[in-house]
Amino acid sequence: MSILSALWDPFASFGFMRRALVASMTLGMGAGPVGVMLQLRRMSLIGDAMSHAILPGAAIGFLLAGGLSLTAMGIGGIAAGLGVALLAGLVSRRTQLAEDASFASFYLTSLALGVLIVSARGSNIDLLHVLFGTILGIDASALCLMGGITTLSIVMLSIIWRPLVMECVDPGFMRMTGGRGGIYHMVFLFLVVINLVAGFEALGTLMSVGMMMVPAATARLWTRRLLPMMVLSAATGMAAGLIGLLVSYHYRLAAGPSIILTCSVLYILSLVMSPAGLRAGRHVHETS
């Protein structure tokens, strides 16, 4: 088999591979820029917490629909994710707990509750689909949802770009000048939640955040400029989707984990080769 046929045949021969490729490309395009802003705002672990927080809502949607319904589980996941975000913000403002501690408490509760609901009313196969996703089973309605979420994310980020960056760099100045930082913060959390819901459909609740955070970390090793960082993060996620699907097809491996592990391999290579990677740290250590 030639290299060209190895790259082309899986997508030319099978519709499910073409749909999985479009899904992974769409996820990378939308989740990458959001992941960059999460990292710059030092909210990486909150993103991980949010990915688990959507599980009980998706599980309730699963029960109400009587199975793996994209619409019901998506609506339930968005409602649960936003609910956890609001509760964590309220607790952090009314108590001495930091926001990340509030998120950690709520997401552990949400994860346990979601697994309990699905395992109590569904089969082990249903639970595996919820936890690890079914990217090779993506249908046209799921692709439309992912495309809509990606489009909305890019449009909203372009609208709130300046205040979001200002709040990230200097939140004190934002408050002093009368900026509505809290509103922009909630809009941004909404974008995080809907992108996690889109990833949830393909990669499951345990790995959906990987498509958001690992490409963003990779891009940050190569550039310090925000816009190129977002573009590179999206490109990394899209490339990982393509390579991961090819690896899973030719070596008969699970597609979702293959994609996330490909993201991790690109991150490790960037650690070794990028200007801001391990070489830069060693150089700083030697000069000091």
Side-chain angles (χ1 to χ4, degrees):
M1 180 183 294
S2 66
I3 295 178
L4 183 60
S5 61
L7 296 175
W8 175 256
D9 284 351
F11 305 110
S13 303
F14 301 102
F16 68 88
M17 287 294 291
R18 292 193 294 271
R19 290 189 293 272
L21 178 62
V22 173
S24 60
M25 294 286 181
T26 304
L27 288 176
M29 191 182 304
V34 175
V36 168
M37 293 306 301
L38 267 176
Q39 288 200 356
L40 292 180
R41 295 165 69 86
R42 296 178 176 86
M43 294 172 61
S44 299
L45 294 180
I46 290 179
D48 183 52
M50 294 293 290
S51 69
H52 301 312
I54 65 177
L55 183 54
I60 293 173
F62 169 84
L63 292 182
L64 295 178
L68 293 168
S69 169
L70 170 68
T71 304
M73 294 176 69
I75 293 174
I78 291 174
L82 292 177
V84 168
L86 290 172
L87 284 174
L90 180 63
V91 168
S92 65
R93 285 170 174 78
R94 297 296 180 87
T95 67
Q96 295 182 353
L97 284 177
E99 190 174 29
D100 57 347
S102 301
F103 268 107
S105 301
F106 281 115
Y107 103 76
L108 290 170
T109 304
S110 300
L111 179 61
L113 179 61
V115 171
L116 183 64
I117 292 173
V118 177
S119 60
R121 297 298 298 272
S123 65
N124 289 335
I125 295 178
D126 294 328
L127 182 60
L128 288 175
H129 284 174
V130 170
L131 292 178
F132 299 105
T134 54
I135 192 168
L136 295 181
I138 292 293
D139 56 15
S141 61
L143 290 179
C144 290
L145 175 65
M146 292 177 185
I149 287 175
T150 296
T151 302
L152 178 62
S153 299
I154 294 174
V155 171
M156 291 300 297
L157 279 176
S158 65
I159 292 174
I160 64 173
W161 172 267
R162 289 185 180 274
L164 198 62
V165 173
M166 186 180 298
E167 190 201 6
C168 176
V169 175
D170 194 348
F173 177 78
M174 186 78 168
R175 289 191 296 268
M176 290 175 58
T177 56
R180 300 178 179 179
I183 295 177
Y184 296 118
H185 182 69
M186 291 308 302
V187 171
F188 177 68
L189 286 180
F190 170 74
L191 295 180
V192 173
V193 170
I194 63 174
N195 276 277
L196 288 173
V197 167
F200 166 84
E201 302 294 343
L203 301 171
T205 185
L206 294 183
M207 294 188 296
S208 59
V209 72
M211 200 64 155
M212 184 177 292
M213 302 312 304
V214 183
T218 302
R220 196 171 182 183
L221 290 170
W222 289 99
T223 179
R224 294 185 178 181
R225 298 175 59 192
L226 189 54
L227 187 57
M229 192 183 300
M230 288 186 167
V231 173
L232 183 56
S233 176
T236 301
M238 295 165 69
L242 172 62
I243 298 171
L245 286 173
L246 289 172
V247 169
S248 70
Y249 176 83
H250 289 294
Y251 294 96
R252 301 180 183 271
L253 300 173
S258 297
I259 292 174
I260 301 304
L261 284 175
T262 303
C263 291
S264 301
V265 170
L266 294 176
Y267 171 69
I268 292 172
L269 290 175
S270 298
L271 277 176
V272 176
M273 302 172 60
S274 67
L278 297 176
R279 291 186 304 170
R282 183 175 59 185
H283 177 71
V284 172
H285 178 72
E286 290 174 352
T287 55
S288 62

